[in-house]
Amino acid sequence: MKRPPHSDQDYLHAYDTCAKYLDRLVPADAIRFLDSITFSPDAAKNLSVQARSEVIKRASRALRQLAEKNRKKGIDNSGEHEGTDPTGMTSDEALAHLQQSEAHLDTLSHAFVLSLKDSQQEQRQRYSQLYDLSRSERSKICELAVKMATDGHPLEQIKELLSVAVGPLDLSVKTVLQEAVQRVVAALGGDQTALTNYPQPLGVLEGLVASVHNNVQSGDSTVTSDDLLAWLRPFCGDASLPVRPRIDVLQILESNFSLIDHDVRLLLLYRTQAVLKDREVQVEDVEDEDKRYALFQEMLDGAQKWEDFQLLMLLLQAWPPMMKDEVAQSERNPWVMLTSALLTRCQASEGTLDLGQELVSMVRSLYKTKHKLPVQCIRQIAHLLLQSQPILQQPALKLMAESGDEQLLQLTLDQINGMSAVSVAVKINK
């Protein structure tokens, strides 16, 4: 060729020049050559879809004629004669390959594919390029669909992608989602290859779960919460894996779907194990409120130093709040019991610990959570502080003032009025 091709006609002329040598290639090599000039990044960039389609049509005619000529000569490229094609591709298979190539190029004018190509978003344009070069091959379409899923795109778009692609794909939205979940689970389990592709696997999983949740909300049951749980349960139940990611996975599911009893118990167990790392805990120890309360009481009885009480604070927050009236609204509330034990056992031994401020911080940390204490418990904690050392009066007043309860506010004012002017000034300055 005297000069590089620049237009579609130049490329077609270049192809015709090369096509004279097709009869010297076995079918697999002919296909390899044709794919390289119709489904390579350079081909997609420099050639129009019409030109690429024309190349495939001309090649199909040429290979069909060659196959017919070989049959007449008694040369069978169907693979019956040893050595005809070491790769095992027959003339018929080569023609079927080109037929799929042509059918795939026809789908590039589909509205969904055009919406990706014409999008202002770089990510969607990249999807368009990947789809173009896929030739509707199952592995490549699966990779693209999984990528769209892990990027957080709606399941409806994945369904549309699969419906546009041609050929025997044997793919569904469900199989794509299952593959995506398996890859994310591998990353959560520490697989280095998976982590390279998904360095933030929890965020990816949240996106997948949200997509399924939105799909279910719209009335589509293609993929359900039961499917997700079935795919994720082996990971969550694998005791050889770290506890933290297993908790995170169940919490993501819990925030989007109603977990069945089995999974709720698992979540409670993992949360407990994450806090009590040095203690063996079974599902039976935490499966209901009474058993959790008994475990708390047992640990509270053995708590002697500040670190023991910190562990109990974490444990209570890892569990659902105690809801029974005889516990939640009384001095048997675990937070009240913890305060009482802390004031009794830590005052003498923890000389550098600002116990009052720590208790205020504890109560405040619960304000915007499901563990927020009822006014009765605030009153009891404040009473315990007031009955203890004089230095704990200020923390008690803080909690009473922040409670929003009229009676406690009045008690706060009464306490302040009973102080000397000097002590009031000192406490205000603090």
Side-chain angles (χ1 to χ4, degrees):
M1 299 181 68
K2 295 180 180 178
R3 61 187 179 86
H6 293 290
S7 66
D8 280 358
Q9 284 306 313
D10 289 343
Y11 276 101
L12 289 172
H13 175 68
Y15 163 73
D16 287 337
T17 303
C18 297
K20 298 172 185 177
Y21 299 92
L22 283 179
D23 62 350
R24 302 186 185 186
L25 301 177
V26 294
D29 288 337
I31 290 300
R32 191 174 296 112
F33 162 67
L34 291 166
D35 280 351
S36 72
I37 63 171
T38 53
F39 283 97
S40 66
D42 282 343
K45 178 181 177 183
N46 295 311
L47 285 175
S48 67
V49 174
Q50 291 76 13
R52 292 160 67 193
S53 184
E54 181 61 27
V55 167
I56 290 169
K57 288 176 182 175
R58 293 184 185 186
S60 295
R61 285 196 297 269
L63 289 185
R64 195 174 290 110
Q65 290 168 0
L66 283 171
E68 187 60 31
K69 187 187 299 184
N70 286 336
R71 286 192 187 97
K72 288 180 179 178
K73 291 180 179 180
I75 302 172
D76 188 355
N77 262 352
S78 66
E80 291 178 7
H81 294 304
E82 187 178 355
T84 300
D85 183 358
T87 64
M89 177 176 274
T90 67
S91 296
D92 288 343
E93 288 169 342
L95 287 168
H97 182 99
L98 293 179
Q99 188 176 24
Q100 176 162 326
S101 296
E102 187 176 350
H104 175 77
L105 289 175
D106 288 342
T107 68
L108 297 184
S109 60
H110 190 282
F112 173 70
V113 181
L114 291 176
S115 72
L116 296 177
K117 182 179 179 181
D118 299 336
S119 172
Q120 299 300 310
Q121 299 176 18
E122 185 177 340
Q123 185 186 65
R124 289 174 66 83
Q125 291 176 2
R126 179 62 179 153
Y127 294 157
S128 169
Q129 295 165 0
L130 291 172
Y131 177 78
D132 184 340
L133 298 177
S134 73
R135 252 196 83 258
S136 285
E137 292 174 13
R138 185 189 188 283
S139 60
K140 293 178 180 178
I141 291 294
C142 183
E143 283 297 319
L144 175 53
V146 168
K147 180 168 179 55
M148 291 177 68
T150 54
D151 285 344
H153 288 278
L155 301 192
E156 185 59 37
Q157 291 185 13
I158 297 169
K159 184 177 182 180
E160 197 160 5
L161 168 72
L162 299 180
S163 69
V164 171
V166 296
L169 291 178
D170 187 30
L171 284 174
S172 66
V173 175
K174 189 171 181 177
T175 57
V176 167
L177 259 289
Q178 185 173 8
E179 175 66 23
V181 168
Q182 287 173 347
R183 295 185 188 188
V184 173
V185 164
L188 287 167
D191 182 279
Q192 291 305 309
T193 302
L195 276 169
T196 301
N197 296 323
Y198 309 108
Q200 302 295 331
L202 275 177
V204 176
L205 182 62
E206 282 185 299
L208 289 171
V209 173
S211 295
V212 173
H213 174 76
N214 293 336
N215 204 55
V216 171
Q217 291 292 97
S218 69
D220 190 338
S221 59
T222 303
V223 184
T224 66
S225 59
D226 288 342
D227 294 323
L228 279 176
L229 286 166
W231 300 334
L232 290 166
R233 193 173 285 123
F235 171 80
C236 294
D238 189 344
S240 67
L241 295 170
V243 172
R244 185 71 256 170
R246 291 189 282 152
I247 291 176
D248 291 335
V249 168
L250 280 168
Q251 285 178 326
I252 289 171
L253 291 169
E254 183 185 40
S255 64
N256 284 274
F257 304 108
S258 297
L259 298 182
I260 61 174
D261 288 345
H262 171 78
D263 295 305
V264 170
R265 290 196 296 271
L266 267 186
L267 181 55
L268 281 169
L269 175 64
Y270 298 154
R271 285 174 172 168
T272 306
Q273 289 175 336
V275 176
L276 306 181
K277 297 176 183 177
D278 298 327
R279 181 185 180 117
E280 187 174 337
V281 183
Q282 304 299 330
V283 172
E284 295 75 20
D285 299 325
V286 294
E287 62 184 353
D288 59 41
E289 183 172 315
D290 289 339
K291 292 183 177 180
R292 292 193 294 275
Y293 190 75
L295 177 59
F296 166 77
Q297 284 184 306
E298 178 189 335
M299 295 190 63
L300 184 64
D301 290 342
Q304 295 297 328
K305 52 185 188 297
W306 169 240
E307 290 75 17
D308 297 336
F309 291 98
Q310 281 184 306
L311 197 65
L312 284 169
M313 292 177 194
L314 287 174
L315 185 62
L316 289 176
Q317 291 181 75
W319 289 343
M322 303 289 177
M323 301 302 294
K324 292 186 176 180
D325 288 341
E326 63 270 22
V327 171
Q329 307 285 337
S330 71
E331 68 279 358
R332 293 184 59 208
N333 182 289
W335 294 99
V336 176
M337 294 173 65
L338 190 149
T339 301
S340 176
L342 188 57
L343 290 172
T344 304
R345 301 173 200 170
C346 280
Q347 287 187 20
S349 59
E350 309 288 345
T352 59
L353 183 67
D354 187 344
L355 205 52
Q357 188 53 45
E358 292 291 349
L359 284 168
V360 169
S361 298
M362 177 191 80
V363 175
R364 284 175 174 171
S365 71
L366 308 178
Y367 282 167
K368 295 182 179 180
T369 74
K370 57 188 177 184
H371 294 279
K372 182 180 180 181
L373 296 176
V375 172
Q376 297 93 316
C377 293
I378 297 288
R379 180 182 288 113
Q380 287 159 353
I381 289 175
H383 176 73
L384 289 169
L385 288 167
L386 290 172
Q387 294 296 311
S388 189
Q389 302 176 26
I391 195 173
L392 297 178
Q393 186 179 37
Q394 181 190 356
L397 294 177
K398 285 181 181 179
L399 294 178
M400 291 161 66
E402 292 174 1
S403 69
D405 180 71
E406 290 186 10
Q407 288 185 345
L408 285 181
L409 286 173
Q410 186 58 53
L411 285 172
T412 305
L413 291 174
D414 294 343
Q415 286 284 333
I416 292 174
N417 291 334
M419 296 178 188
S420 66
V422 173
S423 64
V424 170
V426 169
K427 293 183 188 300
I428 290 174
N429 288 333
K430 288 185 178 179

